């Protein structure tokens, strides 16, 4: 075995009872006891260790160093290489920019790496620190898949609540904030893009004939795959509901535009007779009625007001207004 690198995030051994024993940096990774070494492959020291360690082959080095982002499962005898995706909860990052967790796992050794932190990895570590975590590498694999699925489910529920809120706003004939629906639709589509292959990957993992996976582990993995399927169904429903919302918002916008255009048309209709009369009486020709009368202007203004009032009453009676 190799030694624990100096910049390790987590370095520990599983005690087989749900707890763990930390490994000091520079100490030898024990071969007789299940161990977990977790690294940030963006750190130069960790990247150098991954390139030089004799624990990995070339294919595993490439995957653990971030050469692929899509969920992936590669079996090499009793060794499994996995790339899973988790919700991005890092500050100043969007949740749909999912974080890749890369795992190299054997019956007695776990080596994982990532570039950005994941709450799921912290969940699994905290359970070990509290003494209620994984008892074996197979149990650890199920726990990490379960934690990733739980976090994804929480985010899908948040999106569901946001869509419900938008539906209430639209039902009240109001328009939501600009760009909000588009952002939710983007998140729905991007999360689905990664969860769909991950569901297939977990189901396939449950059916792999690995000697260190027992029937209980396989049952739990199938249960996780089923939960992922339900989240995917919710995402599909969310995409459909957001499409209906987009149509309804477009209808509200078109309705508001038409209402304003109609109001402007009615106003133009009301001022059309007045415009005709003022244009007619504004010509510089002889014979204009009232040209010599000092009260003709006020009589003309009163006539225009009476005409506008009469037209307004007529429009109201005909229900145009």
């Amino acid at each position: 075995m190799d030694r624990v690198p100096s910049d390790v995030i987590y370095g520990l051994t599983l005690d087989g009872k749900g707890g763990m024993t930390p490994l000091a940096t520079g100490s030898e990774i024990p071969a007789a006891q299940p161990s977990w070494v977790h690294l940030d492959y963006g750190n130069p020291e960790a990247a150098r260790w991954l390139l030089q360690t004799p624990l990995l082959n070339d294919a595993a080095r490439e995957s653990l160093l971030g050469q692929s982002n899509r969920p992936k499962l590669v079996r090499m005898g009793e060794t499994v290489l996995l790339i899973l995706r988790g919700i991005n909860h890092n500050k100043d990052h969007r949740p749909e920019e999912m974080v890749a967790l890369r795992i190299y796992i054997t019956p007695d050794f776990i080596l994982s790496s990532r570039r950005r932190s994941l709450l799921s990895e912290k969940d699994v570590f905290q359970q070990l620190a509290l003494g209620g975590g994984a008892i074996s590498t197979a149990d650890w694999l199920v726990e990490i898949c379960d934690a990733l699925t739980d976090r994804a489910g929480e985010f899908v529920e948040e999106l569901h609540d946001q869509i419900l809120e938008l539906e209430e706003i639209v039902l009240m004939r109001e328009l939501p904030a600009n760009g909000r629906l588009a952002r939710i639709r983007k998140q729905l589509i991007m999360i689905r893009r990664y969860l769909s292959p991950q569901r297939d990957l977990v189901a396939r993992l449950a059916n792999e004939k690995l000697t260190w996976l027992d029937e209980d582990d396989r049952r739990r993995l199938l249960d996780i795959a089923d939960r992922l399927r339900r989240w995917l169904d919710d995402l599909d429903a969310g995409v459909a509901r957001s499409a209906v919302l987009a149509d309804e918002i477009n209808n509200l916008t078109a309705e508001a535009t038409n209402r304003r255009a109609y109001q402007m048309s009615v106003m133009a209709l009301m001022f059309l007779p007045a415009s005709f009369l003022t244009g007619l009486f504004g010509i510089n020709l002889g014979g204009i009625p009232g040209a010599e009368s000092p009260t003709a202007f006020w009589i003309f203004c009163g006539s225009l007001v009476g005409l506008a009032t009469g037209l307004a009453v007529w429009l109201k009676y005909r229900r145009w207004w």
Side-chain angles (χ1 to χ4, degrees), residues 190-223:
M190 291 189 67
I191 294 296
R192 194 193 187 291
R193 178 189 174 201
Y194 289 113
L195 288 189
S196 181
Q198 190 151 304
R199 184 246 349 240
D200 298 336
L201 184 150
V202 173
R204 178 185 162 196
L205 181 62
N207 292 314
E208 287 289 344
K209 296 179 180 178
L210 296 165
T211 57
W212 45 275
L213 278 178
D214 60 27
E215 288 305 314
D216 184 61
D217 296 326
R218 298 179 195 280
R219 179 190 57 76
R220 292 169 64 195
L221 285 171
L222 288 174
D223 178 65

Side-chain angles (χ1 to χ4, degrees), residues 104-124:
Y104 176 87
I105 184 168
T106 70
D108 53 12
F109 179 61
I110 306 161
L111 177 57
S112 58
S113 68
R114 48 80 171 160
R115 182 66 183 87
R116 294 166 291 181
S117 63
L118 274 167
L119 291 181
S120 302
E121 72 189 28
K122 296 177 182 178
D123 293 340
V124 173

Side-chain angles (χ1 to χ4, degrees), residues 122-142:
K122 296 177 182 178
D123 293 340
V124 173
F125 176 76
Q126 287 172 358
Q127 287 297 320
L128 286 167
L130 294 172
I135 61 175
S136 64
T137 56
D139 196 25
W140 179 93
L141 181 58
V142 176

Side-chain angles (χ1 to χ4, degrees), residues 85-100 116-118 155 158-159 162 178-188 190-191 194:
R85 304 286 291 197
I87 301 297
N88 189 350
H89 291 96
N90 292 288
K91 188 177 180 181
D92 299 326
H93 288 79
R94 295 186 178 278
E96 69 272 15
E97 297 171 354
M98 298 184 77
V99 179
R116 294 166 291 181
S117 63
L118 274 167
F155 184 61
E158 288 178 17
L159 291 177
Q162 292 182 46
N178 230 0
R180 187 177 177 189
L181 179 60
R183 183 169 63 253
I184 292 174
R185 295 188 74 180
K186 178 184 177 184
Q187 290 175 332
L188 288 167
M190 291 189 67
I191 294 296
Y194 289 113

Side-chain angles (χ1 to χ4, degrees), residues 14-25:
L14 307 179
D15 62 9
K17 299 177 182 178
M20 57 94 176
T21 303
L23 290 172
T25 58

Side-chain angles (χ1 to χ4, degrees), residues 170 173 175-176 181-182 185 239-255:
V170 171
R173 312 303 291 173
L175 291 174
L181 179 60
R185 295 188 74 180
V239 171
R241 288 166 62 191
S242 65
V244 172
L245 272 174
D247 291 340
E248 190 61 28
I249 289 171
N250 289 335
N251 291 338
L252 286 176
T253 304
E255 182 181 325

